[in-house]
Amino acid sequence: MMKNYYFSRTEQELISALKSTDIVTIQEVEDLFPGLSKGMIKKVLSSLVRKGYLYRLKRGLYLVNEESGKPLIKNPYQIALMLFPGYIAFSSALRLYGLIEYEPFTIFVATPRKSGEKEIGEYTVKAVALGEKAVGMTFKNGIYTSTLAKTFFDCFYKPQYCGGYSEVTKALYEAEKMDWDEFLSYFKRFASNSLCQRTGYILELVKDLGVDVPGGVIEYFKGRVKTWTKLVPTLPSKGKGIKEWKLIDNLGKERILGWAYG
């Protein structure tokens, strides 16, 4: 419930106009009230922010509240994309595809240039700049998100943003359909040899679990094997050496596929 604040006539009219709206821009308010000066509109919006009816997301963008001072998040993905233009990615995209069970309270957005982070209520919106790799999006349920194939490429590229290889392998196992040609196209265009080695090794593990990974995909990654590398570059070089992939598995098969044997 809103606190018992006194609202001016203009504030009451604005509240009435926005009662069925989740998010509003200052431009939209100006369009609704063409008779008000920009200075007056800013004054009214600032007053409603102080009274808790509006929550300022960023300059010129407001969340409409139902509780004083507490932002009401109805569509965190929509808000995330208004804060950081791009597409929903990593664990957030896996959630949109129904490939992880839990509700992540960090919403990941892939952007071409701008990284950043902002807390909105119980959510944290994290923007990850991917540069030229910020491609491969689709419009799913009213939200711009990565295609399924691009989601998995992004997760292999930066597994720390999707819960690590355990979550990646589980999601691959759960995915019913994958465009492997599209998936492979991103590696041909963007990936280093070491990323291809890590990805090929992980795909071979899930293939042994029954995931239908085409043989041509595995062969492509084997063709990118050049020098020795680590599965997790930030961890010590302790683990099993996989000669076929010239890769040190410094994480361990048990940790990667523990969900399958639990």
Side-chain angles (χ1 to χ4, degrees), residues 165-167 169-170 173 206 209 254 256-262:
Y165 288 117
S166 177
E167 289 294 341
T169 54
K170 186 177 181 182
Y173 186 81
V206 295
L209 292 178
E254 295 77 14
I256 299 168
L257 299 178
W259 55 269
Y261 306 116

Side-chain angles (χ1 to χ4, degrees), residues 1 4 36 49 54 57 74 138 167 196 206 227 245:
M1 295 290 293
N4 191 25
L36 294 179
V49 168
L54 296 179
L57 293 170
K74 295 180 181 179
T138 187
E167 289 294 341
C196 289
V206 295
T227 59
W245 292 101

